[in-house]
Amino acid sequence: MNTMFDLKCESSSGEEEETEGGESSLTAQIARCANVSSADLDELEHNRNESSTVKQTVWAVNCFKAWLREKQLTIDFKTVEKSEINPVLREFYGSIRTSKGELYGISSYVGLRAGLNRFINEPPLNRVWNLMQDTEFRAANNVFKGVVKQIRRSGRNITAHYPPISPEDQHLLKHSPALDPGNPKGLLNKVWYDIQLHFGLRGKEGNRHLQPDAFALNRDQNGFKYFTMTLHEDTKNMPEKDKKNRRAMYEEPGNPLCPVASLEKYLSKIPADAKALYLQPKRTYVIADEMWYTPLPMGVNYLSQMLPKICKEAGTRTIYTNHSLRLTAIQRLTESREIMAVCVSVPVEINTQWQQQQPESTPYSPSSELDSSSARQESPVSSHSWVKQEPEPEAIQWENKNSDAATDAEKDKNLNTSIPSMEGLPSSVMLTITKLQCLLESKQERIEALERQVQDLQEDRRFLRSQIENLTGARLVSVPEASTSVFSQSRSRKRRRKSSSSSYIEDESITDESSSEESSSVRKKRRHKKKGKRGCVPHCD
């Protein structure tokens, strides 16, 4: 049974409608189909994928073809069967390496298979295959999974994330000549920096495709200016609910580096018929010129190196990339999401009052942290003078701290009373303000609890100090008596030793004298006997 479809483009039927005055009018006939050529359809079909996806597909196909040439293999993708290409893919997954002969990262390795799958299923091949799920490619996918595990064991799955810009470098960049709005190059750099920081745009192609009418200047109910983006960029990672939340760039009254004033000045210095937002500065210019820029747009590669060039000119500690600035913008937005939700809707008065009350923020310095840490590390045990310290000065300081805490509490109360009434505000804003008030009360309770703990520690310290003083005083009293007794005992012992040694010496001398006398008498007797013997011999004859 043949079914006929009428593809003739019909226009809307002209029906009579009555106006407010009762007169009838015939609505104009509107064509419901547009004249689209085959070239337009081809362009729409070609633009169905992101440019990054197309580049990844081309890269994967080139890698596979280079591997086939090295293996001296030839494959006709139009006529090859699954059973024939499965062993080839199995060997390809297991042996493919980078140009340096190393394993790919997991993301690159997965991108290889995904790119080949897109190449086989898209025109002109149009093979209805699934390289990831078809049973004919099970052996190749098993090798693929084994290589992924090998990459994880080797530690190549660790992704090196770009660091956000540190607060010190942010302060240095904002006040550097590289972002000076008084010259064409500095104004261009500052506008690019402010837009990236407040809106968090991604990709060098996104910056290149921006146009002057992409931003709209608005005013809130208090008369403050702010810029919003009229068209959202095409981001593949941003959910729909986040795309609906428009970001804004608010003015900073009294600040010479106000981002809104810089963007207004930049838009007034570019040609009226400019096709791109970022234009090349004139080589020769005068400050009083109406136009500082040529109609030529900035190149894609130059825009991709904007932040590294600005960092080199400003002299930052780290040379950051454009992605670091995007990460800083995302971190800045996520940390103050609730406060931004309050500021975007109505309570701009609170924001301005807060800016007036806040002192100028000083940049972070490691030396300050070292000073504070060294101050905390100082201990009274290192010196003996801590025993004699009196607690009265500390009590006075603690009283001053209590008075400071009381004044802070009074300031908090005054701040709470200075907040305008929440009548007429949206429910989301009222909920956010209530959360902030609850958070403030909880912090105040925590501060009071810490103050009580400090008081208890001060009392314990006084008690321990008194105990230590009592013990040291008793020890100092008992030490002199013991020393005198020991000294007298030692002197008596010395005298005894001297007397005993002298008596021993006298005894020895006496014994020596007696022995010497005896020896002399014995000698005399011997001599006398010898003489008698010599005289009596001739008498006998």
Side-chain angles (χ1 to χ4, degrees), residues 72-91:
Q72 297 180 357
L73 298 176
T74 304
I75 294 178
D76 188 4
F77 294 98
K78 295 181 180 180
T79 60
V80 69
E81 298 295 334
K82 294 181 179 180
S83 59
E84 297 175 356
I85 199 174
N86 178 51
V88 178
L89 291 175
R90 185 172 180 269
E91 186 178 358

Side-chain angles (χ1 to χ4, degrees), residues 289-308:
D289 291 344
E290 295 182 358
M291 299 298 169
W292 283 2
Y293 304 92
T294 64
L296 299 176
M298 301 294 294
V300 176
N301 296 328
Y302 188 89
L303 291 174
S304 64
Q305 298 296 322
M306 283 287 287
L307 189 58

Side-chain angles (χ1 to χ4, degrees), residues 6 94 111 143 154 171 179 185 198 205 294 299 368 398 439 499 541:
D6 187 7
V143 174
S154 63
H171 180 78
L179 300 182
K185 185 179 178 181
H198 288 84
E205 292 86 0
T294 64
S368 61
W398 179 244
L439 181 62
S499 61
D541 292 338

Side-chain angles (χ1 to χ4, degrees), residues 446-463:
R446 177 63 176 169
I447 291 172
E448 294 176 357
L450 291 174
E451 290 175 353
R452 289 193 295 270
Q453 291 180 3
V454 171
Q455 289 179 355
D456 296 338
L457 291 174
Q458 291 288 341
E459 293 177 358
D460 295 340
R461 185 178 180 181
R462 295 191 189 97
F463 174 76

Side-chain angles (χ1 to χ4, degrees), residues 361-427:
S361 60
T362 57
Y364 167 82
S365 61
S367 60
S368 61
E369 185 176 355
L370 292 175
D371 295 339
S372 62
S373 61
S374 61
R376 290 193 300 268
Q377 289 176 0
E378 291 181 356
S379 176
V381 182
S382 59
S383 61
H384 298 286
S385 61
W386 61 277
V387 179
K388 300 180 181 180
Q389 292 177 357
E390 298 296 333
E392 285 76 14
E394 295 181 357
I396 296 172
Q397 293 179 0
W398 179 244
E399 291 176 357
N400 294 331
K401 292 180 181 179
N402 292 332
S403 62
D404 294 338
T407 55
D408 293 338
E410 292 178 357
K411 290 181 180 179
D412 294 335
K413 292 179 181 179
N414 296 330
L415 181 61
N416 293 330
T417 56
S418 63
I419 295 177
S421 61
M422 296 188 294
E423 296 180 357
L425 296 179
S427 59

Side-chain angles (χ1 to χ4, degrees), residues 125-234:
L125 297 179
N126 295 324
R127 307 294 297 269
V128 188
W129 291 0
N130 192 337
L131 298 182
M132 285 76 77
Q133 296 181 359
D134 289 348
T135 56
E136 291 82 359
F137 302 110
R138 182 176 298 173
N141 289 326
N142 290 335
V143 174
F144 182 87
K145 294 177 182 178
V147 174
V148 170
K149 290 185 178 180
Q150 183 181 0
I151 295 172
R152 287 176 179 171
R153 294 191 192 100
S154 63
R156 295 187 61 85
N157 61 331
I158 300 175
T159 304
H161 297 283
Y162 294 97
I165 303 176
S166 62
E168 300 88 351
D169 290 337
Q170 289 185 34
H171 180 78
L172 184 61
L173 286 172
K174 290 180 180 179
H175 297 84
S176 66
L179 300 182
D180 183 12
N183 59 81
K185 185 179 178 181
L187 181 60
L188 174 65
N189 293 338
K190 188 178 186 306
V191 168
W192 178 87
Y193 183 87
D194 292 336
I195 290 176
Q196 292 293 119
L197 186 63
H198 288 84
F199 296 97
L201 303 181
R202 61 178 298 159
K204 52 187 179 182
E205 292 86 0
N207 288 324
R208 172 63 180 81
H209 295 159
L210 280 178
Q211 296 181 0
D213 58 352
F215 299 93
L217 181 63
N218 305 310
R219 287 182 180 271
D220 58 8
Q221 62 179 5
N222 296 310
F224 292 99
K225 299 179 182 179
Y226 64 95
F227 274 103
T228 57
M229 287 190 66
T230 57
L231 297 176
H232 289 284
E233 60 173 349
D234 295 332

